Amino acid sequence: MRTRTRKTSLIAAGVIAATLFGTAAAVAVPVLQGGWPYAGQSHGEDAKTYTLAAVGDIACEPDDDDNAATPAALKCGSPSLGGYDAEFATAKQTDAMKPDAVALLGDEQYEVGKLSDFEGSFEQAWGGLKFLERPAPGNHEYYAYTKKGDNEAGQNGDGYFAYFNGHDQSGTPNTAGQAGDDSSTNQGWYSYDLGNWHIVSLNVECNSPAFGNDCSTTDGGLLAQETRWLADDLAHNQKQCTIAYWHQPTFSATTASTPTVPASAPGAGGQEGQVADAWWKLLYANHATLILNGHEHAYARFQPLNPAGQVDTKHGIPEFIVGTGGEALDTLAKNADGSYANPNVVTGYDQGYGTMKLTLGQHGYSFSYAPALQGAGLPASALDYSDSGSGSCNR
């Protein structure tokens, strides 16, 4: 991978909509000034590159009547959060990329992802990109939130699926749609293609009633079914290049996680990040190109790693954490000398909010990351960070 510091198939949105609504017929789409997204601008059958935007951990909890019992410090308007300013800034930055698709890396909506919260916050900033969004859920879409004086019941994905897949008049989610199949045998994992790239969105929120609170990847539970699905999906993949994304990372940038023993690495995405070790093994064996995660509210790029967390420059997979969508910021773990506590972190950023841009070519990719808005109380110089580079497909 070539890197430096500082420094377009998914079909047009009209055809995406046709696919979502279950018809294979050709669809006449409007040609808008500027060409994007509906006209496909520089994309189509002859396109050589595609743009994938990637980010997670996005929208603050709206300060409305439904959330009257939530402490003010946890809601939009809190000075300790990125709030509306941050989520609108990252949405505007993403829109400017004119992406073919947007990979959402979980925790799209805080604190528990109610449908009303999605409509009151995430939709306000990111709704204009909705038909391009290819989401994965996070813990805040599934689990209860009982921290910092709050006490909100978990939604088990209901608000997430209702927002992205649509719902009936009572708010019950449709069983299939943009976020994948929502059923007793599937909790929204799916794959799609962009040119020569195969892209997989996974749900790792296994410690929830929707998964039977079963995080085993080998028994008969839902996570084990998802893992078998992933193995089959990868085995039948005919594309040269592969990206997989889910929420909690296996390898951490905000804790001094043991990089060689992911199953015992403290703070590395918790139990969910640990069970994803099985996914790393499948992806590594099938020569995947990149793994993307959120959960940690920072940006970090890792060395190419094997499933044990060891640097493997020949066959390893780089992990990117892009948890800077707007809700809040975490702190990267560093040693006293300023070096990263996890030695496999190449570079990271925890001073602001931003979206990563991936340009996907026939046999490789380039990436760029720059913040769109600095964190609360930080000077404009916090925006000086950028990271970019390129790499080849492993397959």
Side-chain angles (χ1 to χ4, degrees):
M1 182 195 296
R2 302 187 304 277
T3 60
R4 61 186 184 276
T5 302
R6 302 273 309 159
K7 94 160 188 201
T8 258
S9 134
L10 190 68
I11 333 174
V15 182
I16 294 171
T19 302
L20 291 174
F21 289 108
T23 175
V27 175
V29 296
V31 178
L32 304 183
Q33 184 176 4
W36 176 88
Y38 300 103
Q41 193 159 298
S42 61
H43 307 101
E45 291 299 319
D46 297 328
K48 300 300 181 184
T49 62
Y50 297 82
T51 299
L52 178 69
V55 71
D57 304 272
I58 296 171
C60 54
E61 182 171 307
D63 188 3
D64 56 20
D65 292 344
D66 286 341
N67 296 312
T70 301
L74 298 175
K75 294 187 287 193
C76 301
S78 168
S80 63
L81 301 179
Y84 285 124
D85 287 347
E87 63 187 78
F88 271 89
T90 56
K92 182 178 180 179
Q93 181 187 38
T94 304
D95 184 84
M97 297 174 186
K98 292 183 167 54
D100 295 283
V102 181
L104 298 177
L105 309 179
D107 283 3
E108 288 82 11
Q109 179 60 60
Y110 286 75
E111 292 294 335
V112 294
K114 299 189 296 289
L115 175 59
S116 60
D117 292 345
F118 269 98
E119 294 171 338
S121 186
F122 182 88
E123 168 71 18
Q124 303 307 305
W126 284 79
L129 291 161
K130 186 172 182 179
F131 273 117
L132 300 179
E133 291 163 0
R134 296 291 173 265
N139 51 294
H140 281 272
E141 278 81 42
Y142 272 76
Y143 301 156
Y145 192 79
T146 56
K147 300 176 182 179
K148 302 178 182 179
D150 201 5
N151 186 22
E152 296 184 75
Q155 297 295 298
N156 293 308
D158 283 352
Y160 167 86
F161 287 111
Y163 177 76
F164 286 109
N165 286 357
H167 54 84
D168 65 17
Q169 287 178 297
S170 68
T172 302
N174 295 338
T175 55
Q178 194 161 333
D181 180 17
D182 169 28
S183 68
S184 61
T185 59
N186 186 305
Q187 281 290 302
W189 53 83
Y190 60 94
S191 62
Y192 57 100
D193 293 332
L194 276 176
N196 202 30
W197 289 75
H198 186 63
I199 306 175
V200 185
S201 172
L202 296 167
N203 184 348
V204 75
E205 306 312 320
C206 53
N207 193 21
S208 64
F211 279 80
N213 303 99
D214 183 358
C215 284
S216 170
T217 59
T218 57
D219 65 13
L222 200 58
L223 192 72
Q225 294 179 41
E226 181 176 9
T227 303
R228 289 193 297 271
W229 173 89
L230 176 62
D232 184 69
D233 181 80
L234 294 172
H236 289 88
N237 172 31
Q238 299 299 310
K239 302 296 183 180
Q240 182 182 10
C241 314
T242 302
I243 294 173
Y245 56 89
W246 61 90
H247 187 56
Q248 287 95 325
T250 299
F251 305 109
S252 174
T254 62
T255 65
S257 61
T258 306
T260 56
V261 191
S264 62
Q271 177 177 236
E272 294 82 4
Q274 294 165 20
V275 301
D277 179 44
W279 297 349
W280 264 87
K281 291 174 180 175
L282 286 170
L283 291 160
Y284 182 82
N286 285 274
H287 312 290
T289 310
L290 296 170
I291 289 174
L292 311 178
N293 302 115
H295 192 60
E296 299 184 343
H297 295 190
Y299 168 79
R301 172 165 57 90
F302 288 71
Q303 297 271 18
L305 302 174
N306 66 19
Q310 300 162 333
V311 176
D312 180 349
T313 58
K314 188 173 182 179
H315 300 296
I317 309 173
E319 175 188 287
F320 286 83
I321 295 174
V322 195
T324 51
E327 199 269 344
L329 295 172
D330 292 335
T331 300
L332 294 168
K334 293 186 177 182
N335 299 315
D337 63 1
S339 61
Y340 294 107
N342 187 330
N344 291 332
V345 175
V346 178
T347 182
Y349 176 73
D350 58 6
Q351 301 295 295
Y353 305 95
T355 300
M356 185 172 73
K357 178 182 180 180
L358 283 162
T359 302
L360 308 179
Q362 291 290 88
H363 309 292
Y365 66 94
S366 62
F367 67 90
S368 62
Y369 178 88
L373 182 73
Q374 69 267 41
L378 294 174
S381 59
L383 299 177
D384 290 344
Y385 177 88
S386 66
D387 184 38
S388 59
S390 60
S392 299
C393 300
N394 291 335
R395 187 159 176 160

